[in-house]
């Protein structure tokens, strides 16, 4: 401020260039982020196309809807795990717990979940497209699918209960980082009835 006017003009010019460079870098950063998110959404559409090729386009919508319901049921199941762990008890079968929570969801909650899914819109910086966009993309494919099985997927496993228990123990040890023994594991239905 106290320098010569000529030096001040050069310094203000330099400040202007720095400001302009920052604006350009800011725009490039957002453009790069938008392009990256666009590419991630395309990867999701590609994965959805393979699901449609296996199970069929007509099955995709019900699967997407069911995944939203299972997500809410999983949150409730994890809350039950948290509550039961305060008494040093854990349900021995997390997939069964999620299934029981899913079966216990009221129609009102299911309608709210469906309404929330229908109201979503995909934004520029979303890494995943919203469910309605995904369903529309899969419907346009019109894939018949190669698997036509109406029975539950647990029938694809020789011993689904043993696999579920193994997954449950892995989840407790590696994701929840719990220190437990066999004595802490309790019957899942018993824990659900107590928490209810």
């Amino acid at each position: 401020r106290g320098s010569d006017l000529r030096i001040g003009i050069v310094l203000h010019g330099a400040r202007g260039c720095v400001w302009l460079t920052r604006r350009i870098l800011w725009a490039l950063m957002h453009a790069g982020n938008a392009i990256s998110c666009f590419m991630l959404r395309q990867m999701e559409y590609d994965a959805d196309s393979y699901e449609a090729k296996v199970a069929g386009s007509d099955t995709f919508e019900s699967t997407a809807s069911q995944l939203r319901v299972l997500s809410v049921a999983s949150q409730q199941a994890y809350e039950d795990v948290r509550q039961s762990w305060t008494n040093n008890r854990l349900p021995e079968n997390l997939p069964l717990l999620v299934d029981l929570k899913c079966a216990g969801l009221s129609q009102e909650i299911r309608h709210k979940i469906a309404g929330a899914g229908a109201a979503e819109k995909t934004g520029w910086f979303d890494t995943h497209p919203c469910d309605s966009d995904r369903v529309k993309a899969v419907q346009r494919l019109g894939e018949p699918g190669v698997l036509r099985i109406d029975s539950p997927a647990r029938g694809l496993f020789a011993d689904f209960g043993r696999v579920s228990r193994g997954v449950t123990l892995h989840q407790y040890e590696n994701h929840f980082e719990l220190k437990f023994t066999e004595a802490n594991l309790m019957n899942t239905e018993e824990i659900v009835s107590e928490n209810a």
Side-chain angles (χ1 to χ4, degrees):
R1 286 186 180 137
S3 63
D4 187 359
L5 179 62
R6 291 171 291 186
I7 295 174
I9 290 172
V10 171
L11 291 177
H12 282 298
R15 286 181 65 195
C17 289
V18 168
W19 178 86
L20 181 61
T21 304
R22 285 182 177 172
R23 295 296 133 228
I24 292 170
L25 289 174
W26 180 86
L28 289 173
M29 177 190 69
H30 283 286
N33 191 17
I35 291 169
S36 174
C37 291
F38 172 79
M39 296 302 289
L40 288 170
R41 288 193 302 272
Q42 295 311 305
M43 286 174 41
E44 289 298 320
Y45 285 129
D46 187 48
D48 293 345
S49 74
Y50 285 99
E51 179 182 341
K53 288 173 186 167
V54 172
S57 294
D58 54 344
T59 308
F60 185 85
E61 184 173 6
S62 62
T63 302
S65 173
Q66 185 65 11
L67 283 174
R68 291 174 86 55
V69 172
L70 286 171
S71 176
V72 171
S74 295
Q75 291 172 7
Q76 291 182 351
Y78 291 153
E79 180 59 27
D80 278 7
V81 169
R82 190 190 66 74
Q83 286 180 2
S84 63
W85 184 239
T86 59
N87 297 322
N88 291 324
R89 298 168 44 157
L90 293 168
E92 65 181 355
N93 189 332
L94 271 177
L96 176 61
L97 180 60
V98 172
D99 191 38
L100 292 171
K101 288 296 180 181
C102 187
L105 290 176
S106 68
Q107 283 302 109
E108 178 186 355
I109 291 174
R110 289 176 184 269
H111 286 306
K112 286 182 180 180
I113 294 169
E120 280 186 340
K121 301 289 181 212
T122 304
W124 282 93
F125 298 105
D126 290 340
T127 57
H128 289 66
C130 67
D131 283 350
S132 59
D133 289 348
R134 294 172 84 164
V135 168
K136 289 175 193 169
V138 168
Q139 293 299 332
R140 283 193 298 270
L141 295 174
E143 291 286 347
V146 293
L147 289 179
R148 295 290 179 188
I149 302 171
D150 292 330
S151 59
R154 70 175 58 95
L156 298 173
F157 296 87
D159 188 356
F160 186 70
R162 185 179 56 78
V163 172
S164 295
R165 193 170 197 277
V167 167
T168 300
L169 299 179
H170 178 79
Q171 183 82 350
Y172 291 156
E173 291 170 356
N174 297 307
H175 296 277
F176 296 168
E177 297 179 352
L178 300 177
K179 304 294 182 206
F180 63 95
T181 65
E182 286 288 325
N184 299 115
L185 299 175
M186 305 299 292
N187 182 285
T188 302
E189 289 96 344
E190 184 181 319
I191 287 183
V192 168
S193 63
E194 285 179 7
N195 287 343

